Amino acid sequence: SRRRHVFDVQVGYPKGKNPVPLTPQCLFPQLGVASSAVTIYARTAVEPTIAINPKNRNHMVAAWQESRIFNGGALEIGIAYSHNGGRTWHQTEVPLQICIGGINQRLSDPWLSYAPNGKRVYLNALVVNTTLDINTQNQQGIIVCVSEDHGRSWSIPHFVSSSQLVLGVPSSFPFDDKNSITADRNHSKFAYCVWDRFPQVTSFHSDTLI
């Protein structure tokens, strides 16, 4: 019965009104361990973050984990923006989920920050795969996207850190976590991303990187 619910999962918000559907053919291989049941909390919103334009408080951008998965990450990062002080909101997409043209299978830890001149907003997130993508060594890591139209559209994701770790697969590769991003309040072209890097996913300590 849990598997039947997967057919109803939808993520991403393109220019049209309807979310992009995830096909079972794309989704099933990335659910991780095939012998165990996988619970997807469809349409849930986890770890919300919001940024407000310091030059025009009518501009607001919100992000969250869309459809959290019980053993780590979510299906997508949800994005919404308002240009009238939060009275109405519009949903858009940052194509991160691989099933809708993105780069990784699971997403987590969104964080937003506006530049002090109000012309740029940064999105920071954690991405990870549960099955090996032979086309890239960026199996997990920290990415940053930028919007220059107050959340309406976003740049391609840029990795600031990555490794070959695959979620749930024992390995000696590092694992990144607990990321955040802050725009410099004095220099509009500067922003700082901070995160924890564990030498291995089973490590009991991490280094803090910027």
Side-chain angles (χ1 to χ4, degrees):
S1 61
R2 288 180 179 176
R3 292 256 169 161
R4 285 200 294 272
H5 289 298
V6 171
F7 289 83
D8 296 327
V9 173
Q10 295 178 315
V11 298
Y13 299 96
K15 293 181 179 179
K17 294 182 179 180
N18 297 319
V20 175
L22 286 174
T23 64
Q25 291 80 6
C26 181
L27 183 60
F28 284 159
Q30 66 172 271
L31 294 182
V33 182
S35 60
S36 63
V38 175
T39 301
I40 301 175
Y41 299 99
R43 299 178 182 85
T44 54
V46 181
E47 289 188 342
T49 176
I50 191 168
I52 300 174
N53 187 337
K55 294 297 184 180
N56 184 346
R57 301 186 72 82
N58 283 323
H59 295 157
M60 301 177 174
V61 183
W64 62 92
Q65 293 184 46
E66 171 73 27
S67 299
R68 178 75 184 185
I69 303 172
F70 86 109
N71 63 349
L75 288 178
E76 184 59 290
I77 298 299
I79 296 283
Y81 63 91
S82 173
H83 292 171
N84 58 10
R87 289 189 295 275
T88 59
W89 291 84
H90 306 276
Q91 291 171 318
T92 185
E93 72 170 350
V94 180
L96 297 175
Q97 164 60 242
I98 199 168
C99 286
I100 58 171
I103 57 171
N104 284 85
Q105 295 172 335
R106 296 193 189 183
L107 305 309
S108 189
D109 296 21
W111 200 285
L112 294 168
S113 185
Y114 246 109
N117 63 2
K119 294 182 178 181
R120 175 175 289 191
V121 60
Y122 299 92
L123 169 67
N124 188 211
L126 169 66
V127 300
V128 64
N129 283 337
T130 58
T131 57
L132 182 67
D133 183 349
I134 61 174
N135 298 308
T136 180
Q137 293 187 341
N138 297 331
Q139 304 299 332
Q140 74 84 44
I142 306 297
I143 61 94
V144 174
C145 297
V146 177
S147 174
E148 296 183 337
D149 55 7
H150 310 294
R152 189 187 304 271
S153 62
W154 295 83
S155 71
I156 63 171
H158 298 276
F159 278 90
V160 297
S161 180
S162 67
S163 80
Q164 294 173 261
L165 181 136
V166 176
L167 186 67
V169 178
S171 73
S172 59
F173 295 116
F175 177 71
D176 299 308
D177 200 9
K178 305 304 180 187
N179 51 284
S180 67
I181 193 166
T182 302
D184 193 310
R185 292 309 175 203
N186 298 309
H187 301 279
S188 292
K189 292 185 178 181
F190 294 173
Y192 309 99
C193 178
V194 178
W195 68 98
D196 290 340
R197 166 156 278 213
F198 294 85
Q200 299 180 29
V201 73
T202 55
S203 299
F204 291 102
H205 74 278
S206 65
D207 298 316
T208 299
L209 303 182
I210 183 169

